Amino acid sequence: MRNRIKDLREDHDLTQQNVADAIGITQRKYSYLETGTQQLTDEILIKLALFYHVSIDYLLCQTDHPERY
């Protein structure tokens, strides 16, 4: 599966630290999320969707349309 959260971060020219700070987690935890070492929780999915203004389905690669419903 494509790593959409990494793609979004890179597309926005952000570091892992930038995103981690924005959603209230450590850079290490964010790194684990990007590599799949840790699973995305509902809370983190919601924070990422709000941060990037995309749908959770888009984050989970269930759709290629980033628009929120």
Side-chain angles (χ1 to χ4, degrees):
M1 176 165 93
R2 232 168 65 208
N3 192 331
R4 188 146 284 159
I5 64 169
K6 182 177 180 180
D7 292 343
L8 278 167
R9 179 179 60 77
E10 291 175 345
D11 289 347
H12 286 82
D13 295 322
L14 298 168
T15 65
Q16 288 183 346
Q17 188 67 58
N18 296 143
V19 179
D21 289 345
I23 64 171
I25 61 174
T26 65
Q27 181 275 329
R28 181 181 295 248
K29 181 167 183 157
Y30 184 81
S31 175
Y32 290 158
L33 295 171
E34 272 195 3
T35 61
T37 303
Q38 282 191 355
Q39 296 293 314
L40 291 164
T41 64
D42 294 345
E43 180 182 354
I44 291 173
L45 278 170
I46 291 167
K47 288 180 179 184
L48 286 169
L50 291 171
F51 179 72
Y52 288 119
H53 305 286
V54 298
S55 70
I56 290 173
D57 285 344
Y58 183 75
L59 291 174
L60 296 175
C61 299
Q62 298 299 304
T63 182
D64 288 328
H65 303 286
E67 299 84 22
R68 297 181 68 190
Y69 305 112

